[in-house]
Amino acid sequence: MDSVSKDSKEYESLKLYAKSRALLLKVYPTFRNFPRIEHRQLCNTIKNSFEVLLNQIAIAKHVTAVRTRMDACKKAAASLQDLTTWYYVSVEMRYISRGHYEEVDQRLTELKKILAGFMKSIGSSRRKP
């Protein structure tokens, strides 16, 4: 693998991790708006999805085995989908505002696109001789 594509993957994974962490810091304060009973349920589910997302991005960034990287990316993608679903539930239950939901949804979509590009670059490195 040439250094350019390796540096590109490194940058994508760092960008993905940084943007995911920034989104967590943005949504975390909104948990105060959730009813107390939801702190054990919905808030913890969202927090756990972020934990899995960040963990899997870190794994994908640090391992060298292509299959392990791809598996970690797939788990990160599943976490992003979970976050999209649970944030949709939050706005429908009126725990967060529609405007806040739209901003978070836009950021989640951006993360999905970055992750898709990262996965594509991993997949293309698998096919090189």
Side-chain angles (χ1 to χ4, degrees):
M1 175 183 344
D2 62 354
S3 64
V4 174
S5 63
K6 183 177 182 180
D7 290 343
S8 174
K9 283 184 205 169
E10 185 77 14
Y11 174 75
E12 285 178 344
S13 64
L14 287 171
K15 183 177 174 183
L16 182 61
Y17 191 89
K19 286 185 174 275
S20 298
R21 187 176 58 193
L23 182 57
L24 172 61
L25 293 174
K26 172 140 184 82
V27 302
Y28 204 88
T30 64
F31 294 149
R32 284 180 268 163
N33 300 336
F34 286 63
R36 193 151 187 78
I37 193 160
E38 291 296 355
H39 284 267
R40 281 212 156 106
Q41 305 292 320
L42 188 54
C43 293
N44 280 342
T45 300
I46 294 169
K47 289 177 194 176
N48 290 339
S49 292
F50 269 109
E51 181 180 0
V52 170
L53 173 65
L54 292 169
N55 185 24
Q56 294 305 315
I57 294 169
I59 289 171
K61 177 185 177 306
H62 288 33
V63 299
T64 56
V66 174
R67 180 175 288 186
T68 306
R69 274 186 162 194
M70 194 59 82
D71 288 346
C73 286
K74 288 177 183 176
K75 289 176 184 173
S79 292
L80 283 171
Q81 190 58 49
D82 286 348
L83 286 167
T84 301
T85 300
W86 292 118
Y87 242 74
Y88 178 75
V89 168
S90 299
V91 76
E92 289 300 313
M93 299 300 293
R94 297 186 179 157
Y95 301 152
I96 58 172
S97 70
R98 178 82 45 195
H100 178 74
Y101 166 76
E102 289 171 0
E103 183 180 348
V104 169
D105 188 53
Q106 183 178 13
R107 288 186 179 195
L108 288 169
T109 300
E110 179 184 9
L111 291 174
K112 289 175 187 177
K113 289 177 182 178
I114 296 169
L115 181 59
F118 184 47
M119 291 173 77
K120 186 175 180 180
S121 70
I122 292 169
S124 67
S125 70
R126 178 186 283 179
R127 291 185 280 275
K128 290 183 181 176

